[in-house]
């Protein structure tokens, strides 16, 4: 028995030793797996750079298998790094405790690695068995070498990093800092005759009427319809624009329309604001009578606008309506009103019948409806009433117009102008007159070296042996395929990522680029930060015409963009084919993926979509995005909390505070957006998200951050508060024990007498942007001194953007006392009762964007800042939620300094392209004309938003001015309305000097 027992013990010891060696050797296995992953990345890079002819179906299938293996391998490496290798600090007992606590995970991981390496061997054997040879994967000389970004970020060796960096710096690096520019409301190219006919029809035909615009996809239907909608929208009481397509959510479309049309009670309330109570009239005591009469009700209306309780209640009411109630609400709002609706991309007669039944009956209707469709029969059904409705067909462009559009598009995209003009003179002929194909091909040609351009001829000849008069859908796909395959690998990955977003949506650039970084598609490269590399990639997608800028920020950079429907449809199809992103719902009916879901985009096209994830393997989902106003419940337990890195719930109405408990278990989460959700409180458990880089809680009900917020050591961007109405996020009451050195953006915060965390603000030495939405502290307090000292110190460390909304602390008037100017600033925003701009502003040689309180709007302020060499935009604004007689007095005093008007002096402002005035009252402005020096010679656009307006004069002397945008508030009086109409009519007046008559800018009013 003893010998038997001894044998059993010996065997047990031997087994335990083998088990220990296996568990201890997990780190070595991970190293070997990392090496395998590097080889996979190299092969995938070769595949992405190979000629199209070398990548057949067999190779493509091999690539899919290799891609899936690479994803799983990366998950294993991440799991090791995050859960096993990251042992806590301490002695041997602590390390032993960590080893024992991870025994199960080590065993599990060891098994997974063995299985992965076995899969790799099987793939390699099949690869050799079926004759897929590396030599056949000839590298296209027109492709830039770049790693397969979806996987390479986990394990890039130095050689891969150098190759990737070379691709960025030599190929697209010159676009890191593009020329800052504005997006103008240009007329659509090549459709002048269409626009002329349809404008005449819009002007002459009475309501009700339906205009159907039909034509092939990419021919310009939506462009024409949108232009009409914008040009005539101001003539109607209300307007709305929505996209439907083949698969759409009726409830969501109804809510989208209602979101753009005010309810009757809001309109009546706004009309009532033009009358004031006796108490409100006392506000104007002592002010000039004429001005007082105009401003009393304006401040009353302005203060009411600051409270969004009614708006939130109305929106909440809409969110809880069923379809029948939504239809009744829409009819009620449109009843008796003149309205214009644009319904884009109707695919069936049934869809039109549904929408028509939502609207008031014909006898009660006073509206115009514009619809677009790819199908002639659908358009005819929408415009079926003879003599009332109109059916308009958009044809492809003529050859002269095709060439003109091609040349214009190439010029917009290329960086060195006419040098390339003659080599791509005939390529537009392969595009069959289709604007989408012409523009896309122009983007490709403009981004190629002159020596490579001749390759396009031979390749296009293979695609189209004969030049076709009209392209088929298959032909368009060939062109898009050709342009997509020409992209460098990193840009392909970034382009495929666009399929996450719904059709027709306006996409925020920062939302996209921050997600790129969190997905590790974009990383730091040879001295360039991840944000700078993301900017490079984004600019290249614009040049390639894959995305189209829609809005610009006041700093001259693109703020938001759209993707053409046909391009997005192609990208979604490609993304599904490569199992890159899985789209559920929305406008696309995609097949259920047979493989593991890696990135999931849940889009709204009916409540049934919440059940359409059944049967999917969600355990490997790394990225989850929810769009629309769906109130369905997300089953977070279906996802693997140790894998999800991106969670974007922006605008999801179903988001509840209780879900945050599940979210705080997603330990490797890098990007979390709860923007525009009904979240009230961030739990202290958020400290568990140690890898979180972006936290977006803007436009939520969160008012204060928990103390645990300071434990997020990797956080790069904290985005909180709301701009309209102005709301801010309070920092934790306690001072941070350790600095958040990774933090780059701190935006939307409130600082008051209880903000003890300000004592550690100076420790955020990596901060690039600081935006204080509410500041209310007393001069003389310790906090006042600490904040001033911190801003001065952070400015010396590289702070680039500073925004302060001072609600009465007089802090902004003390900024002049800083001993050292903030020389690194590129953006400065100062709002409040400002007495004068800081004198050190003249030393900010890199300043692109400047926003000042309207209280300093005087000639002397213009003289102070006119020599800033890079100043791109200048804004005067007033942000206040209460009646303030002092503001009115200050505006009056400013005018008295220069003969009752604000004079903009000549000289300087060499780079200024955008001038804006956002205030309750915009005083009389005049641009001085001396004949010796130009006034703001580069100025292209003026934006003005006001309730009361005293006129603007001399704009015809501004030699570069193209547009004047006027946004007139609902409380505007008759004097203001008269001055606005007078301004719009002046362009046609005979008394204008012939020298300036042709320079009158386009007047655009809302």
């Amino acid at each position: 028995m003893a010998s038997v027992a001894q044998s059993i013990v010996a065997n047990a010891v031997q087994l335990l030793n083998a088990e220990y060696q296996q568990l201890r050797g997990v780190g070595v296995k991970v190293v070997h797996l990392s090496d395998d992953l590097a080889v996979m990345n190299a092969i995938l890079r070769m595949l992405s750079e190979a000629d199209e002819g070398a990548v057949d179906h067999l190779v493509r299938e091999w690539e899919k298998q290799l891609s899936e293996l690479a994803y799983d391998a990366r998950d294993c490496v991440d799991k090791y790094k995050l859960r096993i290798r990251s042992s806590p600090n301490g002695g041997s007992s602590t390390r032993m405790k960590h080893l024992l606590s991870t025994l199960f995970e080590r065993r599990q991981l060891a098994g997974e690695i063995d299985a992965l390496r076995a899969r790799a061997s099987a793939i390699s054997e099949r690869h050799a068995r079926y004759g897929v040879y590396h030599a056949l994967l000839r590298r296209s000389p027109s492709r830039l070498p770049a790693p397969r970004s979806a996987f390479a970020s986990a394990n890039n060796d130095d050689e891969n990093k150098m190759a990737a960096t070379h691709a960025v710096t030599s190929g697209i690096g010159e676009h890191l800092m593009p020329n800052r520019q504005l997006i103008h409301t240009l007329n659509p190219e090549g459709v002048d005759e269409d626009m002329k006919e349809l404008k005449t029809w819009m002007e002459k035909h009475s309501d009700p009427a339906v205009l159907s615009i039909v034509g092939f996809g990419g021919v310009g239907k939506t462009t024409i319809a949108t232009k009409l909608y914008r040009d005539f929208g101001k003539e109607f009481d209300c307007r709305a624009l929505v996209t439907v397509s083949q698969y759409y959510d009726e409830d969501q479309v109804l809510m989208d329309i209602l979101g753009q049309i005010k309810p009757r009670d809001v309109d009546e309330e706004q009309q009532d604001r033009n009358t004031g109570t006796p108490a409100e009239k006392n506000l104007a005591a002592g002010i000039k009578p004429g001005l007082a009469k105009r401003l009393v009700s304006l401040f009353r209306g302005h203060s009411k606008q600051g409270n969004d309780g009614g708006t939130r209640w109305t929106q909440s009411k809409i969110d809880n309506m069923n379809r029948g109630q939504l239809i009744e609400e829409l009819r009620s709002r449109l009843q008796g009103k003149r309205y214009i609706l644009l319904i884009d991309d109707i695919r069936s007669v049934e869809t039109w019948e549904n929408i028509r039944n939502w609207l008031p009956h014909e006898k009660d209707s006073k509206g115009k409806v514009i619809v677009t469709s790819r199908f002639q029969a659908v358009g005819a059904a929408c415009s079926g009433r003879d003599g009332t409705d109109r059916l308009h067909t958009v044809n492809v462009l003529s050859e002269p117009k095709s060439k003109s559009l091609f040349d214009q598009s190439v010029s917009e995209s290329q960086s060195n102008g006419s040098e390339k003009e003659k080599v791509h003179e005939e390529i537009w002929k392969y595009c069959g007159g289709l604007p989408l194909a012409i523009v896309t091909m122009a983007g490709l040609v403009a981004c190629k070296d002159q020596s490579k351009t001749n390759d396009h001829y031979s390749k296009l000849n293979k695609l189209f042996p004969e030049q076709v008069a009209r392209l088929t859908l298959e032909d368009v796909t060939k062109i898009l395929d050709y342009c997509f395959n020409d992209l460098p690998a990193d840009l392909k990955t970034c382009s495929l990522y666009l399929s996450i977003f719904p059709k027709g949506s306006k996409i925020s650039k920062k939302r996209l680029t921050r997600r790129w970084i969190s997905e590790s598609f974009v990383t730091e490269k040879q001295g360039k930060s991840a944000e700078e590399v993301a900017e490079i990639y984004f600019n290249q997608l614009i040049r390639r015409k894959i995305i189209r800028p829609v809005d610009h920020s006041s700093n001259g950079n693109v703020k938001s963009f759209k993707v053409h429907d046909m391009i997005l449809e192609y990208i979604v199809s490609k993304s599904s084919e490569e199992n890159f992103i899985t789209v559920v719902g929305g406008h696309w009916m995609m097949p259920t993926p047979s493989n593991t879901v890696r990135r999931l985009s849940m889009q709204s096209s009916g409540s049934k979509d919440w059940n359409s994830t059944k049967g999917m393997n969600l355990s490997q989902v790394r990225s989850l995005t929810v769009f629309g106003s769906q109130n369905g419940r997300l089953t977070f337990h279906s996802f693997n909390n140790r894998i999800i890195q991106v969670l974007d719930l922006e605008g999801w109405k179903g988001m509840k505070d209780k879900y945050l408990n599940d979210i705080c278990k997603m330990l490797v989460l890098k990007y979390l957006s709860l923007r525009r959700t009904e979240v009230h409180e961030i739990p202290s458990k958020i400290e568990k998200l140690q890898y979180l880089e972006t936290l977006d809680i803007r436009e939520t009900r969160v008012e204060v951050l928990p103390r645990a917020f300071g434990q997020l050591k990797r956080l790069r961007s904290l985005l909180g508060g709301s701009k309209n109405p102005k709301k801010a996020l309070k920092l934790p009451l306690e001072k941070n024990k350790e600095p958040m050195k990774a933090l780059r953006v701190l935006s939307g915060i409130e600082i008051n007498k209880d903000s003890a965390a300000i004592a550690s603000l100076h420790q955020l030495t990596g901060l690039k942007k600081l935006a204080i939405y509410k500041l209310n502290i007393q001069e003389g307090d310790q906090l006042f001194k600490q904040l001033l000292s911190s801003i001065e110190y952070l400015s010396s460390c590289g702070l680039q953007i500073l925004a302060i909304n001072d609600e009465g602390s007089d802090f902004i008037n003390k900024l002049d006392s800083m001993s050292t100017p903030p020389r690194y600033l590129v953006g400065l925003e100062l709002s409040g009762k400002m007495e004068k701009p800081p004198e050190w502003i003249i030393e900010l040689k890199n300043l692109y964007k400047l926003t000042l309180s309207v209280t300093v709007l005087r000639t002397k302020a213009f003289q102070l800042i006119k020599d800033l060499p890079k100043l791109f935009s200048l804004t005067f604004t007033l942000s206040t939620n209460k009646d303030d007689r002092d503001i009115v007095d200050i505006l009056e005093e400013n005018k008295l300094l220069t003969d009752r008007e604000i004079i903009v002096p000549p000289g300087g402002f060499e780079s200024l392209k955008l001038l804006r005035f956002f205030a309750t009252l915009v005083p009389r402005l005049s641009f001085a004309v001396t004949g010796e020096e130009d006034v703001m010679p580069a100025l292209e656009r003026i934006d003005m938003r006001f309730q009361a307006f005293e006129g603007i004069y001399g704009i015809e002397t501004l030699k570069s001015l193209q547009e004047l945008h006027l946004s007139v508030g609902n409380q505007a009086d008759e004097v203001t309305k008269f001055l606005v109409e007078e301004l719009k009519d002046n362009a046609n007046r005979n008394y204008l000097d012939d020298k300036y008559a042709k320079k009158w800018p386009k007047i655009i009013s809302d």
Side-chain angles (χ1 to χ4, degrees):
M1 289 291 292
S3 62
V4 174
Q6 188 176 7
S7 176
I8 292 174
V9 171
N11 288 336
V13 171
Q14 187 177 358
L15 288 172
L16 286 172
N17 185 58
E19 175 77 359
Y20 175 75
Q21 292 300 327
Q22 181 183 15
L23 296 177
R24 189 182 179 190
V26 168
V28 177
K29 290 187 176 185
V30 171
V31 172
H32 292 161
L33 184 63
S34 298
D35 293 339
D36 290 343
L37 186 53
V39 174
M40 294 179 212
N41 289 330
I43 296 172
L44 288 169
R45 186 166 65 248
M46 289 175 62
L47 287 167
S48 68
E49 296 169 3
D51 283 340
E52 291 89 340
V55 184
D56 56 19
H57 294 294
L58 184 61
V59 174
R60 191 62 67 197
E61 181 59 34
W62 177 51
E63 181 185 21
K64 286 183 182 179
Q65 294 177 15
L66 201 58
S67 297
E68 289 298 316
L69 179 63
Y71 270 120
D72 292 337
R74 178 179 170 185
D75 288 343
C76 269
V77 173
D78 287 347
K79 186 183 297 186
Y80 174 76
K81 288 180 177 178
L82 302 175
R83 300 294 299 160
I84 297 177
R85 191 181 68 181
S86 56
S87 59
N89 297 325
S92 58
S93 60
T94 303
R95 290 195 294 273
M96 179 58 69
K97 183 178 179 181
H98 175 73
L99 175 64
L100 293 173
S101 67
T102 57
L103 281 178
F104 176 75
E105 288 178 320
R106 288 172 183 269
R107 168 183 278 278
Q108 187 182 45
L109 188 60
E112 290 178 6
I113 293 174
D114 289 341
L116 283 172
R117 301 202 76 186
R119 277 175 60 191
S121 297
I123 291 174
S124 179
E125 289 173 5
R126 284 194 295 270
H127 157 238
R129 186 188 312 153
Y130 296 110
V132 181
Y133 301 109
H134 294 162
L136 296 177
L137 302 179
R138 301 181 305 276
R139 178 173 163 182
S140 172
S142 64
R143 309 276 174 84
L144 289 172
R148 186 71 168 184
S149 302
F151 322 111
S153 57
N155 293 282
N156 274 347
D157 55 25
D158 292 340
E159 184 177 348
N160 284 343
K161 287 182 179 179
M162 290 299 293
T165 302
H166 176 74
V168 172
T169 55
S170 64
I172 54 179
E174 69 272 17
H175 308 292
L176 173 61
M177 293 300 294
N179 293 329
R180 297 173 186 267
Q181 56 188 342
L182 300 176
I183 300 169
H184 296 289
T185 54
L186 301 175
N187 291 322
E189 184 71 21
V191 293
D192 301 3
E193 295 177 4
D194 296 88
M195 290 299 301
K196 184 177 180 181
E197 286 182 32
L198 295 178
K199 281 187 174 182
T200 302
W201 182 86
M202 290 285 290
E203 291 167 350
K204 293 184 176 180
H205 271 70
S206 59
D207 309 333
V210 178
L211 168 64
S212 297
I213 304 176
V214 298
F216 189 76
V219 80
K221 304 181 299 296
T222 301
T223 303
I224 294 171
T226 303
K227 177 64 176 171
L228 289 172
Y229 173 80
R230 289 176 176 168
D231 286 351
F232 288 90
K234 58 183 177 293
E235 299 178 7
F236 293 82
D237 299 326
C238 50
R239 58 182 178 174
L241 184 159
V242 290
T243 299
V244 286
S245 197
Q246 185 172 358
Y247 307 102
Y248 70 103
D249 180 351
E250 290 188 44
D251 294 352
Q252 183 63 49
V253 173
L254 279 163
M255 286 190 283
D256 287 346
I257 295 175
L258 287 169
Q260 300 173 64
I261 297 175
K262 294 186 181 71
R264 283 179 172 274
D265 55 351
V266 172
D267 279 348
E268 291 167 0
E269 180 183 340
Q270 288 173 345
Q271 292 173 5
D272 291 343
R273 287 176 188 167
N274 285 329
T275 60
T277 64
E280 287 162 342
K281 291 177 182 178
N282 289 335
L283 171 70
I287 306 177
K288 186 180 176 183
L291 183 63
K293 184 178 179 181
R294 298 179 60 192
L295 289 180
V296 168
S297 60
L298 298 181
F299 274 109
R300 180 189 180 203
H302 188 70
S303 66
K304 287 191 177 183
Q305 285 181 316
N307 183 356
D308 72 328
T311 303
R312 277 190 178 272
W313 180 85
T314 302
Q315 188 60 48
S316 176
K317 181 181 176 183
I318 290 173
D319 291 341
N320 293 315
M321 288 180 177
N322 60 37
R323 186 171 304 168
Q325 292 170 326
L326 289 169
I327 293 173
E328 287 303 315
E329 179 70 17
L330 178 60
R331 287 175 180 170
S332 171
R333 294 190 186 186
L334 296 180
Q335 195 76 28
K337 288 186 177 181
R338 289 198 72 219
Y339 62 85
I340 181 169
L341 302 180
L342 171 52
I343 315 295
D344 188 32
D345 201 20
I346 292 182
R347 298 289 183 94
S348 69
V349 176
E350 180 185 3
T351 299
W352 166 244
E353 293 293 340
N354 286 339
I355 294 174
R356 186 174 63 180
N357 290 333
W358 300 346
L359 307 178
H361 297 297
E362 189 172 318
K363 63 178 181 179
D364 301 321
S365 179
K366 297 181 180 180
K368 278 191 172 71
V369 180
I370 304 174
V371 302
T372 69
S373 179
R374 297 184 186 183
F375 307 107
Q376 192 82 13
V378 174
C382 297
S383 301
R385 296 171 299 185
D386 292 336
T388 303
D389 300 338
R390 179 185 174 102
L391 175 64
H392 181 84
T393 302
V394 182
N395 296 310
V396 296
L397 302 180
S398 63
E399 287 201 353
K401 289 182 178 179
S402 295
K403 185 178 185 305
S404 175
L405 177 60
F406 184 82
D407 291 343
Q408 176 187 321
S409 301
V410 169
S411 178
E412 291 172 353
S413 291
Q414 65 186 182
S415 55
N416 53 354
S418 59
E419 293 181 13
K420 302 180 184 178
E421 180 66 29
K422 56 185 178 183
V423 287
H424 41 63
E425 192 171 311
E426 302 296 319
I427 290 180
W428 57 268
K429 292 183 178 180
Y430 290 92
C431 299
L434 190 69
L436 173 67
I438 293 170
V439 168
T440 307
M441 187 60 71
L444 180 147
V445 170
C447 293
K448 306 301 292 182
D449 293 336
Q450 183 174 352
S451 59
K452 302 287 192 298
T453 308
N454 290 329
D455 288 345
H456 297 309
Y457 290 111
S458 59
K459 292 179 180 179
L460 287 172
N461 279 324
K462 291 179 182 178
L463 288 175
F464 306 104
E466 296 181 4
Q467 293 179 9
V468 293
R470 288 181 181 272
L471 297 178
T472 64
L473 187 58
E474 183 181 358
D475 294 332
V476 176
T477 303
K478 287 181 181 179
I479 289 179
L480 294 179
D481 234 348
Y482 176 57
C483 294
F484 178 80
N485 289 331
D486 187 76
L487 291 171
D490 279 357
L491 284 179
K492 282 183 181 177
T493 303
C494 292
S495 298
L496 288 177
Y497 203 67
L498 296 170
S499 58
I500 277 190
F501 299 97
K503 173 184 175 181
S505 62
K506 188 161 69 171
I507 307 167
S508 162
K509 182 187 86 169
K510 289 185 178 179
R511 182 184 187 184
L512 176 68
T513 55
R514 286 185 180 121
R515 290 185 54 147
W516 280 349
I517 294 170
S518 296
E519 292 268 15
S520 298
F521 299 156
V522 176
T523 57
E524 296 179 359
K525 293 184 186 297
Q526 209 176 39
K528 294 182 176 66
S529 68
E531 288 80 7
E532 290 173 330
V533 176
E535 185 81 9
I536 291 173
Y537 289 174
F538 184 83
N539 291 331
Q540 185 72 344
L541 292 183
I542 291 178
R543 294 185 66 223
R544 292 266 184 164
K545 305 296 185 182
I546 293 173
I547 60 179
R548 175 177 60 86
V550 175
D551 295 322
H552 63 79
S553 296
S554 54
N555 61 7
N557 292 329
V558 174
K559 181 178 182 180
S560 61
F561 66 94
K562 283 189 174 184
V563 187
H564 191 281
D565 295 349
M566 291 192 74
I567 293 179
L568 184 59
E569 189 169 357
Y570 170 84
I571 291 174
V572 169
S573 175
K574 199 80 174 174
S575 184
S576 176
E577 176 187 322
E578 298 189 11
N579 195 32
F580 184 71
I581 289 171
T582 301
V583 179
V584 172
H587 295 281
W588 323 111
M589 188 60 70
M590 307 304 297
T592 302
S594 57
N595 297 322
T596 302
V597 177
R598 303 291 180 182
R599 298 178 183 85
L600 180 62
S601 174
M602 301 181 68
Q603 302 177 11
S604 173
S605 63
S607 57
K608 62 182 182 297
D609 291 329
W610 284 94
N611 299 319
S612 57
T613 57
K614 287 185 177 179
M616 292 185 183
N617 180 2
L618 304 179
S619 63
Q620 300 298 314
V621 170
R622 310 174 64 86
S623 169
L624 173 62
T625 310
V626 180
F627 293 97
S629 300
Q630 307 173 85
N631 286 302
R633 188 181 186 280
L634 272 179
T635 53
F636 284 104
H637 60 80
S638 300
F639 303 95
N640 188 340
N641 290 335
R642 296 183 178 181
I643 288 182
I644 292 185
Q645 297 185 2
V646 172
L647 182 62
D648 193 338
L649 304 178
E650 180 174 327
W652 179 40
K653 302 304 180 184
M655 180 61 197
K656 309 294 182 185
D657 284 339
K658 62 181 180 181
Y659 294 153
L660 286 169
N661 292 324
D662 293 311
I663 292 172
C664 288
K665 296 176 183 176
M666 299 176 180
L667 302 182
V668 296
L669 199 62
K670 293 183 179 180
Y671 179 98
L672 174 60
S673 177
L674 304 172
R675 187 178 185 182
R676 289 203 297 272
T677 65
E678 294 298 311
V679 171
H680 293 76
E681 183 179 1
I682 301 297
S684 59
K685 292 180 182 178
I686 197 170
E687 67 180 352
K688 295 181 179 179
L689 307 183
Q690 285 298 302
Y691 292 87
L692 193 63
E693 295 175 354
T694 297
L695 176 60
D696 190 347
I697 48 177
R698 288 174 290 181
E699 301 168 72
T700 65
R701 296 180 182 271
V702 178
E703 296 182 353
V704 62
L705 285 169
R707 179 180 182 181
F709 159 75
Q711 302 303 313
L712 303 176
K713 302 306 179 187
R714 289 181 174 86
L715 193 68
R716 297 175 65 89
S717 299
L718 172 65
L719 310 168
S722 169
K723 288 186 177 180
N724 187 22
K726 185 73 75 173
K727 291 186 176 181
L729 185 67
K730 295 177 182 177
L731 295 175
L733 298 180
E734 299 85 359
K735 177 182 175 182
N736 285 345
K737 294 181 179 179
E738 296 182 22
M740 301 174 69
K741 293 184 178 180
L743 197 63
R744 297 293 180 267
V745 177
L746 181 58
S747 178
I749 64 171
E750 176 179 352
I751 296 177
N752 55 36
K753 59 184 178 61
D754 298 321
S755 302
I758 293 304
S760 56
L761 183 64
H762 69 281
Q763 297 176 342
L764 307 179
T765 53
L767 206 62
K768 299 300 180 185
K769 177 179 179 178
L770 174 62
I772 304 171
Y773 281 9
K774 286 187 177 182
L775 177 62
N776 197 350
I777 53 180
Q778 298 300 316
E779 184 178 1
D781 289 351
Q782 183 66 24
L783 199 61
F784 194 100
K785 298 176 182 177
Q786 287 177 340
L787 180 59
L788 188 61
S789 173
S790 295
I791 289 176
E792 182 171 0
Y793 180 69
L794 293 176
S795 297
S796 69
C797 295
L799 186 68
Q800 295 179 353
I801 298 174
L802 174 63
I804 301 175
N805 178 35
D806 191 339
E807 294 196 328
S809 65
D810 205 38
F811 182 85
I812 56 175
N813 289 317
K814 303 303 178 184
L815 289 174
D816 230 348
S817 64
M818 290 168 52
S819 59
T820 305
R823 301 181 187 277
Y824 299 106
L825 286 185
V826 298
L828 177 63
E829 300 180 38
L830 303 174
S831 179
K833 287 186 185 179
M834 198 173 192
E835 297 171 359
K836 64 175 184 176
E839 293 292 335
W840 44 252
I841 278 187
I842 59 175
E843 299 186 46
L844 306 184
K845 304 304 181 184
N846 294 311
L847 196 68
Y848 288 99
K849 173 183 176 180
L850 177 60
T851 299
L852 299 172
S853 172
V854 75
T855 56
V856 299
L857 179 56
R858 55 179 76 101
T859 302
K860 191 174 181 180
F862 285 110
Q863 292 171 334
L864 175 67
I865 61 179
K866 69 177 184 178
D867 291 324
L868 293 175
K870 296 183 179 180
L871 188 63
F872 177 89
S873 75
L874 173 61
T875 303
F876 292 93
T877 187
L878 173 65
S879 177
T880 180
N881 291 330
K882 58 184 180 180
D883 300 344
D884 201 327
R885 172 181 164 182
D886 290 346
I887 301 295
V888 180
D889 291 340
I890 292 170
L891 294 174
E892 279 293 284
E893 290 171 2
N894 288 349
K895 290 192 301 179
L896 291 174
L897 295 174
T898 47
D899 197 22
R900 302 202 60 78
E901 66 179 353
I902 307 298
I903 298 175
V904 182
F909 296 109
E910 296 298 328
S911 301
L912 189 70
K913 292 188 177 183
L914 176 63
L915 178 62
R916 306 190 301 174
F917 303 91
F918 299 153
T920 304
L921 167 68
V922 175
R924 178 186 173 102
L925 295 165
S926 180
F927 294 90
V929 182
T930 63
E932 298 177 359
E933 291 184 280
D934 291 326
V935 181
M936 296 184 173
L939 188 65
E940 296 180 2
R941 173 169 167 164
I942 300 175
D943 286 356
M944 308 183 81
R945 186 168 66 234
F946 49 78
Q947 304 290 353
F949 177 57
E950 295 185 345
I952 182 169
Y953 302 92
I955 57 175
E956 70 276 10
T957 67
L958 304 178
K959 66 179 185 180
S960 300
L961 187 64
Q962 300 177 33
E963 297 175 3
L964 172 60
H965 290 250
L966 304 173
S967 181
V968 186
N970 293 311
Q971 297 85 40
D973 59 12
E974 293 304 316
V975 175
T976 294
K977 293 177 181 178
F978 172 79
L979 288 171
V980 169
E981 290 303 317
E982 186 79 3
L983 189 62
K984 290 159 64 176
D985 291 341
N986 273 346
N988 302 319
R989 295 297 176 88
N990 293 327
Y991 62 76
L992 283 176
D993 190 320
D994 291 339
K995 178 181 178 182
Y996 302 118
K998 294 181 180 180
K999 293 186 177 181
W1000 197 263
K1002 182 188 299 184
I1003 309 293
I1004 302 170
S1005 63
D1006 297 330

